[in-house]
Amino acid sequence: MFKVTNATGGYGKTTIIRDVSLEVKAGEIVALLGRNGVGKSTLMRYATGLIRATSGYVEIDGEMAPPSPAKRARLGLGYVPQGRFVFPRMSVTENIAVAAASNGFDAKKTVEEMLEDFPLLRPKAADLAGGLSGGQQQVLALARALAIRPKILLLDEPTEGVQPSIIDEMAGVLKRINADREIAMLVAEQNLDFCLSISERAYVMEKGAIHMETDRDSLRADKELQQELLGV
Ligand code: ATP
Ligand code: MG
């Protein structure tokens, strides 16, 4: 479904990720864990085509991914960058409409679908995105990513700076989207409880490489690894 093979890349002459291979199968939610600065976001940027590959390649739904991020989006790769990127000076409706139109989907219809999926956005539909709370912006960023009707969704630290009550709601929303629309997900996170609640399997990164692959039960039992990840 989604596969990264021997990914090596970084910024300018600096290599950040080295020889990273991972896979997300149809229907899966997979976590990408690791402490600050290990290269989780860089790997996501590599996967979306936002940074140039030094070597390695990406496959989306069985097809070799083209270089351009826009073309990868058209193949079904959705992406919610770290820091809940939305257009602050556009309304909630416009934010969703622009994303839908960029992939050739009917803007009006998509906006209506997203407001149905995320009822908390409906009363805010005409408001400027910049005026929403952090959690609401994160939900809007998710709605924008879903507006392109992805088959695989990359989420970069969706719970960062979001209050606990909205984190629980978000976990529920992601599980529902995964089940109802069969969208596979790769979720970079530092929030272990959140990961354990949504994903069955995880990759752990260290210094730009995959350090290990684990599953929910092993991660739950491995207190040493948990401490390492939490940095305590
Ligand atoms: P966090 O958990 O803090 O989000 P991360 O695992 O996502 O961390 P990255 O953001 O991928 O880590 O950063 C990995 C390394 O790449 C760091 O050393 C960082 O300083 C460097 N880096 C990140 N973005 C850039 C950039 N735009 N230009 C140059 N170096 C960068
Ligand atoms: Mg990051």
Side-chain angles (χ1 to χ4, degrees), residues 164-180:
S165 63
I166 299 195
I167 291 180
D168 289 346
E169 200 174 316
M170 197 180 290
V173 166
L174 292 180
K175 278 194 272 197
R176 180 162 52 84
I177 291 167
N178 170 254
D180 294 356

Side-chain angles (χ1 to χ4, degrees), residues 80-126:
V80 181
Q82 190 167 5
R84 58 181 94 98
F85 173 76
V86 296
F87 294 115
R89 307 288 302 163
M90 282 187 188
S91 71
V92 166
T93 296
E94 286 163 346
N95 263 279
I96 299 169
V98 164
S102 74
N103 248 32
F105 293 112
D106 185 296
K108 213 171 157 190
K109 203 171 130 216
T110 307
V111 168
E112 191 42 48
E113 275 174 26
M114 289 304 141
L115 295 180
E116 211 148 280
D117 274 353
F118 303 107
L120 75 87
L121 293 179
R122 194 177 287 279
K124 306 279 176 188

Side-chain angles (χ1 to χ4, degrees), residues 24-208:
V24 182
K25 299 193 187 84
E28 269 194 315
I29 301 182
V30 177
L32 183 63
L33 303 171
R35 294 178 66 169
N36 279 324
V38 294
K40 303 182 296 296
S41 296
T42 304
L43 176 58
M44 295 252 166
R45 292 188 198 113
Y46 179 102
T48 50
L50 288 168
I51 58 169
R52 210 162 43 83
T54 309
S55 62
Y57 56 93
V58 175
E59 289 160 274
I60 302 165
D61 209 12
E63 280 189 61
M64 196 59 84
S68 110
K71 285 190 180 147
R72 289 188 188 186
R74 282 185 178 252
L75 273 184
L77 185 63
Y79 172 47
V80 181
Q82 190 167 5
R84 58 181 94 98
F85 173 76
V86 296
F87 294 115
R89 307 288 302 163
M90 282 187 188
S91 71
V92 166
T93 296
E94 286 163 346
N95 263 279
I96 299 169
V98 164
S102 74
N103 248 32
F105 293 112
D106 185 296
K108 213 171 157 190
K109 203 171 130 216
T110 307
V111 168
E112 191 42 48
E113 275 174 26
M114 289 304 141
L115 295 180
E116 211 148 280
D117 274 353
F118 303 107
L120 75 87
L121 293 179
R122 194 177 287 279
K124 306 279 176 188
D127 294 8
L128 291 184
L132 303 183
S133 74
Q136 289 165 343
Q137 286 190 29
Q138 188 69 61
V139 172
L140 176 58
L142 180 58
R144 278 176 50 80
L146 290 172
I148 72 154
R149 290 167 218 272
K151 295 174 192 144
I152 161 94
L153 190 55
L154 308 181
L155 295 154
D156 196 350
E157 301 211 25
T159 70
E160 191 180 38
V162 176
Q163 67 200 70
S165 63
I166 299 195
I167 291 180
D168 289 346
E169 200 174 316
M170 197 180 290
V173 166
L174 292 180
K175 278 194 272 197
R176 180 162 52 84
I177 291 167
N178 170 254
D180 294 356
R181 305 198 192 172
E182 297 171 344
I183 299 175
M185 300 183 194
L186 180 66
V187 188
E189 261 301 339
Q190 302 215 37
N191 182 333
L192 266 181
D193 289 336
F194 176 76
C195 283
L196 288 169
S197 78
I198 62 169
S199 53
E200 302 272 323
R201 202 159 68 78
Y203 293 97
V204 179
M205 280 187 86
E206 217 171 76
K207 294 186 193 144

